[in-house]
């Protein structure tokens, strides 16, 4: 693999917020993602759908740098994420580079992963205080504002064990936003929730789409929600983008047979 | 001689010995906890040399007897130019020995913290050290308290061996009284009871209390 073929920085005018260039991911002999190319523009909401095991989570985890990649390169805001420059050449990123770069990326997980030994407010303040070095008062103001936005300000002094799944997920969204990321990743954030509380989480994401210029990449099984809020939908099949397009086109008039099969199978299950 | 007469005559020495045992216990606990934490983190380290050092310590101190370790530290180390007074050699040996067992408890607890917690901390851009200190260790602490409770009782019992290098602890006093009076039942009986009372009414309740406090911190109670 030669990193030398990739630009040290993306040129002005061709700088999507996120760019996957020929990204390959393998686990042993299993190729999970195969030469993936995917751009996400600034402020764009891209939804990833597809059958279980098709590599959706892996895409988000690579962008969060939770997984290393086996080939290709990822750029964030025009700068290499998975690589860094050394003597005019790109080499695989070290821990410090990753830490610096990933601070512009926030992620929400299927199982929330709130810190159980901290209150909702402390969960939100942890990153700003410990990582960004913000004064406590400023971090608190920022966190309270976000907890207000997700409708959790009344519960700010509760520990996660006292919160319902929907409430925990809303705190987790506030916690990620408190780092002021440029890109937000949502990995099936409603999959672990009881049906009656899914709405409170999707409504928060709806507000984010409406009111903020965040770039978002979301994996979901809720087709209706995806159709409502996405700028673009990507259908993944076996580690490749089988088909992508505006939601009305992909859901209303899918071109590929596998997309049609998947969508009708999902419709039947609903 | 009745037990009351015995206590009237030798009570002061028993108390002196108990205080020395208590001091040995507290200091050995500090050594054990420190050594256990360092060895556990070392064993989880990515650095091969650090990992090797931690594994060597754990294997060495778990694989050989406490008494031999005590004699080594007190009688053999001076040959290498490291001379420790008997009191220090005592709690250091006991602490290092128990710390080797504690290391496995700490490591197990760290690894039992759900992977999602590491990932959430990572996603907030925390450095590895900060992840460990702020997110993982506080949760691991709650998990490791119950096994530590048992281990500290082992540690207390282990301190009795320091009498063999003439640290004037409870066991040492009991032996001395026995040697001069041949009141074996009273002397060793009292020692037995005092060790039991310390474990049952000091260590166990203190650990329970700590467990409750830590559970509350997690918002569980
Ligand atoms: N840590 C791992 N080790 C081995 N295989 C993995 C690992 N993580 C994911 N996989 C495999 O990679 C494939 C894609 O996984 P994933 O991205 O989680 O799929 P999706 O989110 O679309 O369900 C699956 O076949 C899964 O079994
Ligand atoms: Mg998944």
């Amino acid at each position: 693999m030669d990193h030398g073929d990739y630009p040290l920085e993306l040129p002005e005018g061709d700088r999507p917020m996120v760019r996957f260039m020929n990204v390959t991911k393998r686990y042993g002999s299993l190729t999970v993602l195969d030469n993936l190319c995917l751009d996400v523009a600034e402020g764009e909401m891209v939804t990833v759908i597809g059958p279980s095991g098709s590599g959706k989570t892996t895409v988000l985890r690579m962008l969060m740098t939770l997984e290393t990649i086996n080939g290709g390169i990822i750029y964030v805001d025009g700068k290499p994420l998975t690589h860094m420059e050394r003597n005019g050449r790109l080499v695989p990123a070290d821990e410090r580079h990753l830490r610096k770069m990933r601070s512009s990326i926030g992620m929400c997980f299927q199982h929330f992963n709130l810190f159980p030994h901290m209150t909702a407010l402390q969960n939100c303040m942890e990153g700003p205080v410990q990582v960004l070095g913000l004064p406590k008062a400023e971090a608190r103001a920022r966190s309270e504002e976000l907890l207000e936005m997700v409708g959790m300000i009344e519960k700010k002094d509760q520990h996660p064990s006292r919160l319902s799944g929907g409430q925990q997920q809303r705190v987790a969204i506030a916690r990620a936003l408190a780092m002021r990321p440029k890109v937000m990743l949502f990995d099936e954030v409603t999959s672990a929730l009881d049906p009656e509380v899914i709405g409170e989480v999707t409504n928060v994401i709806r507000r984010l789409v409406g009111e903020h210029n965040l770039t978002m990449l979301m994996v979901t099984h809720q087709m209706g929600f995806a159709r409502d809020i996405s700028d673009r939908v990507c259908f993944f099949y076996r580690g490749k983008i089988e088909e992508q397009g505006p939601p009305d086109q992909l859901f209303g008039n899918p071109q590929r047979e596998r997309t049609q099969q998947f969508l009708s199978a999902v419709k039947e299950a609903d | 001689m009745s037990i009351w007469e015995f206590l009237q005559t030798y009570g002061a020495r028993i108390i002196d010995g108990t205080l020395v045992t208590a001091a040995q216990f507290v200091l050995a606990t500090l050594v054990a906890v420190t050594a256990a934490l360092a060895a556990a983190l070392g064993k989880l380290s990515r650095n091969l040399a650090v990992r090797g050092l931690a594994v060597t310590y754990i294997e060495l101190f778990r694989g050989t007897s406490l008494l031999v370790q005590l004699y080594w530290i007190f009688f053999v180390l001076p040959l290498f130019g490291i001379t420790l007074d008997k009191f220090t050699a005592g709690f250091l040996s006991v602490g290092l020995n128990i710390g080797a067992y504690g290391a496995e408890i700490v490591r197990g607890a760290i690894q039992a913290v759900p992977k999602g917690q590491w990932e959430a901390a990572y996603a907030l851009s925390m450095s590895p050290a900060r992840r460990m200190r702020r997110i993982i260790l506080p949760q691991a602490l709650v998990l490791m308290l119950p096994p530590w409770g048992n281990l500290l009782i082992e540690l207390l019992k282990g301190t009795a061996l320091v009498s063999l290098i003439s640290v004037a602890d409870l066991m040492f006093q009991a032996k001395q009284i026995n040697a001069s009076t041949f009141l074996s039942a009273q002397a060793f009986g009292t020692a037995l009871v005092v060790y039991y009372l310390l474990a049952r009414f000091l260590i166990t309740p203190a650990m329970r209390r700590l467990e409750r406090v830590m559970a509350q911190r997690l918002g569980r109670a």
Side-chain angles (χ1 to χ4, degrees), chain A residues 27 30 32 51-58 67 188:
Chain A
Y27 290 112
L30 176 73
V32 178
S52 176
S54 57
K56 308 181 295 295
T57 295
T58 305
E67 306 284 348
E188 292 195 33

Side-chain angles (χ1 to χ4, degrees), chain B residues 161-213:
Chain B
L161 288 182
V162 302
S163 64
L164 293 171
I165 55 169
S166 304
V167 176
D169 74 334
L170 176 57
M171 190 61 197
F172 182 84
Q173 298 291 3
K175 279 194 303 186
Q176 294 263 300
I177 297 166
N178 176 55
S180 55
T181 64
F182 299 104
L183 295 168
S184 306
Q186 288 92 330
F188 293 125
T190 309
L192 207 70
V193 170
V194 173
Y195 277 117
Y196 176 75
L197 293 179
L198 287 178
R200 180 66 184 78
F201 293 101
L202 277 178
I203 300 177
T204 305
M207 290 305 286
R208 286 279 148 73
R209 209 189 138 80
L210 201 57
E211 282 170 38
R212 266 204 309 280
V213 170

Side-chain angles (χ1 to χ4, degrees), chain A residues 26-28 30-33 48 50-59 61 67 187-188 219 221 236, chain B residues 115:
Chain A
R26 282 183 293 267
Y27 290 112
L30 176 73
T31 300
V32 178
L33 288 173
V48 175
S52 176
S54 57
K56 308 181 295 295
T57 295
T58 305
V59 171
R61 289 175 62 86
E67 306 284 348
D187 188 13
E188 292 195 33
V219 175
H221 284 302
F236 266 69
Chain B
K115 209 166 129 252

Side-chain angles (χ1 to χ4, degrees), chain A residues 12-83:
Chain A
E12 207 72 45
D14 183 29
R15 271 184 165 225
M17 184 53 80
V18 176
R19 168 165 288 174
F20 288 80
M21 252 172 123
N22 308 318
V23 172
T24 297
K25 176 67 188 173
R26 282 183 293 267
Y27 290 112
S29 60
L30 176 73
T31 300
V32 178
L33 288 173
D34 190 10
N35 263 304
L36 176 72
C37 294
L38 172 66
D39 282 3
V40 184
E42 186 177 355
E44 194 181 17
M45 162 57 112
V46 172
T47 301
V48 175
I49 62 170
S52 176
S54 57
K56 308 181 295 295
T57 295
T58 305
V59 171
L60 299 195
R61 289 175 62 86
M62 288 191 312
L63 192 47
M64 192 68 254
T65 72
L66 281 162
E67 306 284 348
T68 54
I69 67 177
N70 301 110
I73 185 168
I74 303 175
Y75 293 90
V76 171
D77 204 10
K79 296 185 199 66
L81 169 76
T82 50
H83 296 73

